[in-house]
Amino acid sequence: MTAIRHLTRRDLLRLSPSVAAALAVGCRSRTGRFVDREIDTGRIAGSIVGASHEVGHRLRAGGLPEPQEIRDVPVVIVGAGIAGLSAGWKLAKSGFRDFEILELETDAGGNSRWGANEVSAYPWGAHYLPVPSSESTAVRELLEEMGMVHDLGPDGDPIYDPRHLCHAPQERLFIDGRWQEGISARELLGTAPAPGDQAMLAEFEQQVRRYQDYRDARGRRAFALPMALSSDDPDLVALDRISMLEYFDRAGWTSERLRWYVDYCCRDDYGCSLETTSAWAAWHYFCSRDEEVEYLTWPEGNGRIVRHIVERLERHLHSGMLVYRIRLTADPGTSETSTEGVDVDVLDTRTNSSVRIRARQVIYALPRFTATHVLAGYELPGIDAFSYAPWMVANLTVDRLPEGAAWDNVIYDSLSLGYVVATHQNLRVAPGPSVLTYYMPLAVPNPEVARRWMLERSWDDWVSIILGDLAPAHVGLESLVTQIDVMLWGHAMIRPVPGFLWGEPRRRAAEAFGPVRFAHSDMSGISLFEEAQYRGVRAAEDLMRDVGHAYRSSLGLAEEGV
Amino acid sequence: MDEHNTPSTDDRHSKSLALLCSVFAIATCGLIYELLAGTIASYMLGDSVTQFSTIIGVYLFSMGLGSYLSRYFHKDLIAVFIQIEILVGLIGGLSSLVLFMAFAELDAFRVVLYSWVALTGILVGLEIPLVLRILKDQFPFSDLISKVLSLDYLGGLAASLLFPLWLVPQVGLMQSSFVFGVLNVLVAVWTCHLFRAQHRRPILTVQAYAVLALLLTGVAFSEVLLDFSERRLYQDPVIFARSSRYQRIVATQAQGEMRLFLNGDLQFSSLDEYRYHEALVHPGLASVASPQQVLVLGGGDGMVVREILKDQRVQHVTLVDLDPTMTDLFTDHRVFAALNNYALRSPRVEVVNADAFVWLEDSTSRYDFIVIDFPDPSNYSLGKLYTTTFYRRLAAHLAPDGVAAIQSSSPLMARRAFWCIVETVRMAGFDATPYHVAVPSFGEWGYVLASHEPFQMPERFPENLRFLNQLITPALFTFPTDMEAVPVEVNRLNNQILVRYQKEDWGQFAP
């Protein structure tokens, strides 16, 4: 038997006083709903799985075995998240064969990793991709290659295979004690608007349209995807200096529901609350895509994309590899062409033996905070500005789908983002078992504290937190759940806090370190598939240009910006 | 004289009176059981004249048998009488439950039916002779005969009035049999009590109370046991109810009309289903030049297959229905299989239990004629089966000169839903030909023919049709003003607009 209750500020106080303060923003228990009861969780199996915190921490601890052999590999890509995989994808597609991708985890994919059990495949992180806009040329190219494009429309725009566009019903929200269809601001405010809500919503929507339609003198959008193609007009850039909360305060948008909605969106995409998200990043969320955007989704989420790329890179990909030291073998200060190369020291975590790879070029596709531990001699002023949000993701296997489930099921005023249904795109009519992927970003001002708190929680704690959160909206859910697996992402997402996106450290993060190039979504400041892919493809193209390998750019217009 | 051993005249008189009263009660109960059996048999098997005749015959004959057998009881007649009362209460009280269960679970329903009626008859037949013998010293013979028989026939009158006027409409078959079983046993209990001085039979008292408890439990739980708890939701008596993995199957019957409900939605009425099914199948089927291979999606009741088999050109029918409980019921159960003329047992027919969309994705076969008889698109799961994606899959399975007939909701009650299906079929690249027919149980009903080539009105139909003919068919393809096309969106997996049309349109029509 497990005591089930809502994770509230009060509970957190009991669990950990420091985190209570930290999580306070996300824990507003305004509705005062408490469900304290005993439920039988005896039949629920599961564990905390994945992410190699232990191995990763060996980096800092030191004492790793010295390399026993030396190999020559012209190009090494460190990290097989979307950025690293995309770099490999572009190289392989361009006929460039001499590269290896080294990945610490058993499975490639980074935030797009996935799992599978006898019921369904399911995501461990990113679970959908908005239909790409015309600027996201590389995303379009990839999706076409995956066979997702069904046809071409009259305007030449791709028509995506309806089997993979998110089916109806897409979203539902539990609010005021019942489920309602849709979670958009309009649907949210339509139910029980407080005085002034409608006017504020109208102003908000008007601002969204204004930014969507905005084009600067050079024809650039206010907020583009990839973000490097966005306008740098000063009054837009100025948005990065304040938080979205400040923006709301200045605009006089006091509507509680509108605030909740935008806060939810910020937590969903950035792992940050209204208070900690830069207003530029928040507007980017709403204005970088066309209205009525559709989503491509698969049972394993963006794992489907990972599978596609990994199949093509099989022989280049090496997992279980801890890259613990990268050293330039010539002074990076001298001219690049004269640089002899890079020593990449790698621990094979399965044999616990090390090897030194002599590379001429490296694409460093790990989050930047790791660079200080790995890249000898690398200095990036203000690297501490790179901060990361911790996330907890759980996969709940259920005997039967909760009644009326949509694809995305959100609970108003919850710490979590709710859950998505892995079997949603299934064409079956018969009801059956499913897997629910439950997301909880720890969107707090101080991620360091939240990270420690998160890693200290036991599996039992998480089961209690998850079921406690879902219980009011799902009577008897615990009797449907057979398994709960939990993954703790210590550094899940770069945090676009005010000042970061248009600040110096991020701008300089794009600069290569001798023959070491960087590729990661944290260079964009927003953790989106499109950004990771852009950074990866871009690094690969830059590399091929420098070594004189012919390629056709996948980035189209994307020749400028950082 | 000992008071306890030699009862007073008063006491004797009251006991006699009590026994005479019990004659009345027994007679009423006996006839009620007979009427119950007759009614249930009529519900299940139809043809009430035959059912009532045979049951009355078997019952009266069994009573005679019981009367004859009464000669073999010599001792302790009061105890025998009480014992028989308890047994009649038990057998009669359980009769409805047993007959309903036998109908749902057993092939040999008739065997159970007549055995049960015979058993009840024998026991009831034993009662009157025993009472006569018990009371033979209390009254002059002529007086006794006139008393007992007149009370017996009076009980018959009471039963024959109570049954149609109160029991069937107010109490229900199941509860009626329990209530009268309880009454029977109460007579036994009372008799036990009256004769407690002379005939101490603790075992009988215990038996009586045990049966009483059993019957009262039956009153409380029988509907749950039979899954009939939602009986009150249906207008007519429920004769069959079962929950499969996927749906709730309920059959009701009244005046020779059987209705089948899935999850509370009427699927067909045996009175007019031929209109619905002939119209769904034959315009399309007859228009195909050489319909050898036929596919039916949905339609686990086998009615569509029955219609298809009327066309001798058809060589093979594949029926794909999700629910094995449905297809088994309509293959194996005599009453239900008779409705589709045992079509699912035909060697020309293959039954596959699978999810239609998934099955279509996996299959590569092509068919000359396809019938789609899915439930209405009232939820998102079912709505998937009416999308462009589904119809595109369908197109890949339809022979170049083939035709697919699609049941498409009501163009009158769900006008936008109907025309949405038409437009969706068109969007998937088909030539779409809408038509409609009046089915009294459903109202105006609509269908769409989907074909790669323009549809040609058929020249001739199979001969043994009850509704369709050459003359009327072209009229089905014209739409009156209140059912004409309206502007609608196309139904896709990512909008499922049809589910909204269906809900809103029906909502308007419902009071």
Side-chain angles (χ1 to χ4, degrees):
Chain A
M1 300 290 270
T2 304
I4 286 300
R5 67 173 71 82
H6 274 285
L7 186 64
T8 63
R9 192 172 173 173
R10 204 182 317 170
D11 296 319
L12 286 167
L13 262 166
R14 201 158 40 218
L15 289 166
S16 158
S18 52
V19 175
L23 282 177
V25 177
C27 297
R28 300 142 305 177
S29 185
R30 284 189 292 247
T31 50
R33 52 191 154 82
F34 273 83
V35 177
D36 283 64
R37 60 202 180 92
E38 294 281 314
I39 62 160
D40 186 3
T41 55
R43 69 191 277 268
I44 301 177
S47 58
I48 296 179
V49 299
S52 313
H53 306 287
E54 303 306 317
V55 192
H57 290 158
R58 288 180 72 178
L59 259 181
R60 276 176 261 179
L64 295 161
E66 281 305 310
Q68 300 301 307
E69 55 169 308
I70 295 178
R71 287 196 290 130
D72 282 323
V73 179
V75 171
V76 169
I77 298 171
V78 184
I82 293 303
L85 287 174
S86 298
W89 172 76
K90 187 61 203 172
L91 289 179
K93 239 191 140 173
S94 309
F96 190 100
R97 305 251 172 267
D98 300 324
F99 69 94
E100 283 185 10
I101 305 178
L102 306 177
E103 168 58 44
L104 169 61
E105 305 289 344
T106 320
D107 300 310
N111 278 7
S112 295
R113 258 183 292 160
W114 58 285
N117 61 18
E118 66 288 351
V119 171
S120 176
Y122 48 80
W124 273 122
H127 62 90
Y128 69 93
L129 190 60
V131 163
S133 59
S134 54
E135 286 123 11
S136 305
T137 49
V139 183
R140 284 193 170 190
E141 182 183 336
L142 173 67
L143 290 171
E144 200 175 326
E145 184 186 286
M146 288 172 69
M148 293 297 150
V149 177
H150 193 276
D151 213 343
L152 289 182
D155 47 2
D157 273 351
I159 296 173
Y160 290 91
D161 187 336
R163 282 176 301 178
H164 307 298
L165 288 174
C166 183
H167 298 172
Q170 273 117 3
E171 291 155 336
R172 64 170 182 164
L173 177 69
F174 188 77
I175 185 167
D176 300 332
R178 60 179 196 88
W179 288 101
Q180 67 166 49
E181 213 172 304
I183 58 167
S184 74
R186 181 152 289 276
E187 287 153 326
L188 184 59
L189 293 168
T191 50
D197 270 10
Q198 294 299 334
M200 289 175 224
L201 174 65
E203 283 176 38
F204 175 82
E205 288 180 332
Q206 199 181 355
Q207 189 61 54
V208 169
R209 275 192 300 277
R210 204 174 292 149
Y211 283 144
Q212 275 173 340
D213 298 340
Y214 187 95
R215 295 293 181 275
D216 71 4
R218 295 166 61 187
R220 293 177 299 189
R221 299 177 74 122
F223 304 97
L225 253 180
M227 61 83 77
L229 303 184
S230 305
S231 169
D232 56 1
D233 285 358
D235 43 340
L236 293 171
V237 170
L239 288 171
D240 189 45
R241 287 198 287 272
I242 57 168
S243 74
M244 197 56 169
L245 186 68
E246 266 180 272
Y247 189 102
F248 263 62
D249 287 344
R250 288 183 195 181
W253 294 342
T254 51
S255 162
E256 210 165 279
R257 291 195 169 186
L258 185 61
R259 281 176 183 233
W260 177 86
Y261 173 66
V262 177
D263 178 73
Y264 166 82
C265 295
C266 291
R267 288 187 295 130
D268 190 29
D269 256 33
Y270 307 135
C272 289
S273 64
L274 207 59
E275 189 188 12
T276 50
T277 306
S278 131
W280 194 94
W283 284 115
H284 185 277
Y285 175 92
F286 293 103
C287 309
S288 59
R289 300 179 179 105
D290 302 326
E291 251 169 304
E292 304 274 315
V293 69
E294 291 202 83
Y295 304 114
L296 287 155
T297 188
W298 305 271
E300 63 275 62
N302 292 2
R304 177 61 63 92
I305 303 172
V306 173
R307 290 170 74 170
H308 172 83
I309 299 177
V310 165
E311 270 171 32
R312 276 150 189 78
L313 297 179
E314 208 85 71
R315 66 187 189 90
H316 301 281
L317 189 59
H318 303 271
S319 60
M321 298 293 172
L322 173 62
V323 172
Y324 63 90
R325 187 167 55 218
I326 296 177
R327 221 170 27 200
L328 307 195
T329 49
D331 179 8
T334 61
S335 125
E336 278 183 26
T337 46
S338 70
T339 304
E340 278 179 44
V342 192
D343 282 353
V344 181
D345 292 348
V346 188
L347 173 75
D348 185 334
T349 57
R350 280 168 293 204
T351 60
N352 205 34
S353 62
S354 296
V355 65
R356 172 161 298 164
I357 297 178
R358 289 229 154 104
R360 282 199 292 279
Q361 308 270 351
V362 165
I363 293 176
Y364 191 84
L366 299 180
R368 192 61 57 94
F369 77 94
T370 61
T372 43
H373 307 290
V374 177
L375 258 180
Y378 177 70
E379 274 177 27
L380 175 62
I383 195 168
D384 290 345
F386 284 75
S387 73
Y388 299 82
W391 280 60
M392 186 277 290
V393 180
N395 273 294
L396 288 72
T397 307
V398 288
D399 286 336
R400 185 163 47 77
L401 204 54
E403 183 141 6
W407 172 58
D408 192 7
N409 304 269
V410 180
I411 297 169
Y412 186 72
D413 227 4
S414 157
L415 261 188
S416 77
L417 300 170
Y419 60 87
V420 293
V421 173
T423 55
H424 184 73
Q425 298 296 96
N426 200 314
L427 297 173
R428 265 181 354 212
V429 171
S434 188
V435 177
L436 315 179
T437 308
Y438 175 92
Y439 296 90
M440 182 182 278
L442 298 179
V444 295
N446 185 347
E448 202 50 56
V449 180
R451 185 171 303 123
R452 214 174 313 125
W453 177 82
M454 179 181 87
L455 294 173
E456 282 164 4
R457 300 277 73 74
S458 69
W459 179 80
D460 287 313
D461 291 341
W462 288 117
V463 169
S464 167
I465 289 168
I466 295 164
L467 293 180
D469 182 36
L470 294 177
H474 304 78
V475 176
L477 178 72
E478 67 276 3
S479 64
L480 299 180
V481 179
T482 54
Q483 174 127 4
I484 299 181
D485 288 322
V486 174
M487 197 179 271
L488 304 175
W489 299 84
H491 298 78
M493 285 186 170
I494 186 72
R495 300 167 72 235
V497 294
F500 179 69
L501 290 173
W502 289 91
E504 203 50 21
R506 190 196 68 84
R507 205 187 290 269
R508 294 200 51 193
E511 294 169 5
F513 177 55
V516 178
R517 282 182 176 74
F518 296 98
H520 197 274
S521 61
D522 62 4
M523 296 157 67
S524 298
I526 49 183
S527 180
L528 299 180
F529 178 90
E530 296 91 330
E531 297 294 346
Q533 191 216 23
Y534 171 78
R535 297 290 166 182
V537 171
R538 176 143 192 176
E541 292 190 355
D542 287 352
L543 185 151
M544 289 188 288
R545 188 190 59 224
D546 284 358
V547 303
H549 186 92
Y551 69 96
R552 206 170 62 187
S553 176
S554 296
L555 300 177
L557 295 168
E559 299 297 344
E560 51 194 321
V562 286
Chain B
M1 281 210 281
D2 191 334
E3 259 189 30
H4 292 283
N5 288 333
T6 320
S8 65
T9 318
D10 268 6
D11 182 49
R12 276 213 307 274
H13 186 70
S14 73
K15 281 175 186 164
S16 308
L17 204 64
L19 279 176
L20 286 174
C21 283
S22 71
V23 167
F24 175 78
I26 290 159
T28 312
C29 292
L31 192 60
I32 293 278
Y33 301 141
E34 184 185 340
L35 292 170
L36 278 171
T39 309
I40 292 170
S42 306
Y43 282 163
M44 309 294 187
L45 305 172
D47 192 2
S48 52
V49 175
T50 312
Q51 305 315 332
F52 270 100
S53 297
T54 51
I55 281 166
I56 289 171
V58 170
Y59 189 74
L60 289 179
F61 171 74
S62 306
M63 279 177 72
L65 202 61
S67 302
Y68 177 78
L69 292 174
S70 68
R71 68 192 301 170
Y72 297 106
F73 296 95
H74 303 295
K75 289 187 294 187
D76 220 355
L77 292 182
I78 290 284
V80 174
F81 176 76
I82 293 169
Q83 181 74 71
I84 286 169
E85 280 304 294
I86 295 169
L87 275 174
V88 175
L90 179 68
I91 304 241
L94 291 176
S95 62
S96 288
L97 181 68
V98 165
L99 293 179
F100 274 107
M101 276 184 136
F103 179 73
E105 308 295 336
L106 298 175
D107 236 9
F109 171 67
R110 280 193 172 84
V111 176
V112 175
L113 171 70
Y114 292 116
S115 309
W116 211 262
V117 168
L119 196 57
T120 316
I122 291 169
L123 289 170
V124 172
L126 280 166
E127 287 175 327
I128 300 294
L130 287 178
V131 170
L132 286 173
R133 282 163 64 191
I134 292 168
L135 295 177
K136 69 177 192 299
D137 300 332
Q138 311 295 326
F139 303 96
F141 184 68
S142 56
D143 195 18
L144 179 63
I145 283 288
S146 92
K147 277 195 167 83
V148 168
L149 289 188
S150 59
L151 280 170
D152 184 29
Y153 294 126
L154 199 60
L157 177 68
S160 60
L161 292 177
L162 275 178
F163 190 74
L165 296 180
W166 181 59
L167 293 176
V168 173
Q170 301 293 326
V171 185
L173 298 176
M174 189 79 67
Q175 304 302 55
S176 296
S177 79
F178 282 117
V179 166
F180 280 85
V182 166
L183 194 64
N184 252 163
V185 180
L186 285 178
V187 169
V189 170
W190 190 33
T191 320
C192 272
H193 179 77
L194 281 176
F195 293 89
R196 67 191 182 284
Q198 300 99 312
H199 298 275
R200 276 218 163 280
R201 289 287 187 282
I203 186 82
L204 282 181
T205 315
V206 170
Q207 258 185 40
Y209 280 109
V211 171
L212 202 57
L214 181 75
L215 292 177
L216 289 172
T217 316
V219 173
F221 294 108
S222 61
E223 305 237 321
V224 181
L225 199 68
L226 274 177
D227 247 5
F228 280 10
S229 37
E230 80 275 59
R231 178 174 56 86
R232 278 167 218 292
L233 301 177
Y234 296 92
Q235 187 185 330
D236 298 330
V238 171
I239 59 163
F240 178 90
R242 188 172 289 173
S243 291
S244 75
R245 265 184 73 194
Y246 308 110
Q247 56 200 343
R248 178 98 180 122
I249 304 167
V250 173
T252 68
Q253 180 133 7
Q255 278 101 46
E257 178 190 16
M258 187 195 276
R259 290 167 177 237
L260 187 83
F261 297 84
L262 296 181
N263 295 333
D265 291 329
L266 178 64
Q267 296 303 297
F268 65 77
S269 151
S270 59
L271 285 189
D272 60 14
E273 56 81 15
Y274 67 93
R275 279 186 155 237
Y276 172 88
H277 290 109
E278 284 186 10
L280 171 58
V281 170
H282 293 295
L285 179 57
S287 75
V288 178
S290 174
Q292 298 183 354
Q293 298 296 318
V294 175
L295 173 66
V296 180
L297 301 174
D301 57 27
M303 310 291 192
V304 164
V305 177
R306 176 195 67 203
E307 292 303 318
I308 290 167
L309 293 180
K310 288 179 183 170
D311 192 322
Q312 295 310 316
R313 300 173 299 166
V314 173
Q315 290 173 358
H316 190 259
V317 183
T318 308
L319 170 71
V320 180
D321 190 281
L322 178 61
D323 194 350
T325 311
M326 268 295 277
T327 51
D328 287 352
L329 190 65
F330 281 88
T331 307
D332 300 328
H333 195 285
R334 282 180 196 205
V335 172
F336 293 107
L339 292 172
N340 62 37
N341 201 19
Y342 309 99
L344 301 187
R345 301 185 193 179
S346 162
R348 287 194 280 163
V349 175
E350 176 194 359
V351 177
V352 180
N353 292 117
D355 219 307
F357 210 144
V358 180
W359 188 85
L360 272 188
E361 291 270 308
D362 297 342
S363 159
T364 52
S365 313
R366 275 182 175 255
Y367 299 89
D368 305 306
F369 181 59
I370 301 177
V371 177
I372 298 178
D373 193 13
F374 293 138
D376 291 341
S378 52
N379 63 47
Y380 290 114
S381 292
L382 292 166
K384 292 178 197 174
L385 302 172
Y386 294 81
T387 54
T388 48
T389 308
F390 181 84
Y391 294 133
R392 285 209 180 91
R393 273 319 295 162
L394 186 72
H397 292 275
L398 188 65
D401 54 352
V403 172
I406 304 163
Q407 95 82 0
S408 306
S409 193
S410 170
L412 183 64
M413 277 87 87
R415 193 164 164 190
R416 285 182 304 165
F418 175 77
W419 290 104
C420 171
I421 297 171
V422 177
E423 284 310 312
T424 306
V425 168
R426 275 197 189 121
M427 184 53 81
F430 280 114
D431 213 280
T433 313
Y435 64 105
H436 64 99
V437 68
V439 183
S441 303
F442 293 168
E444 276 292 336
W445 212 256
Y447 311 88
V448 182
L449 293 174
S451 51
H452 299 299
E453 298 296 323
F455 170 71
Q456 300 287 327
M457 198 66 67
E459 309 261 304
R460 48 179 302 145
F461 291 115
E463 281 176 4
N464 43 352
L465 302 189
R466 295 169 65 192
F467 169 67
L468 271 190
N469 61 33
Q470 250 40 48
L471 222 54
I472 188 70
T473 305
L476 305 183
F477 289 77
T478 62
F479 283 80
T481 310
D482 62 353
M483 300 197 289
E484 272 173 356
V486 281
V488 281
E489 282 184 60
V490 165
N491 190 43
R492 301 174 197 277
L493 280 173
N494 58 347
N495 69 8
Q496 293 244 26
I497 189 77
L498 176 62
V499 175
R500 218 178 71 207
Y501 287 151
Q502 174 80 9
K503 276 187 190 160
E504 289 176 1
D505 290 1
W506 276 106
Q508 273 180 353
F509 243 86

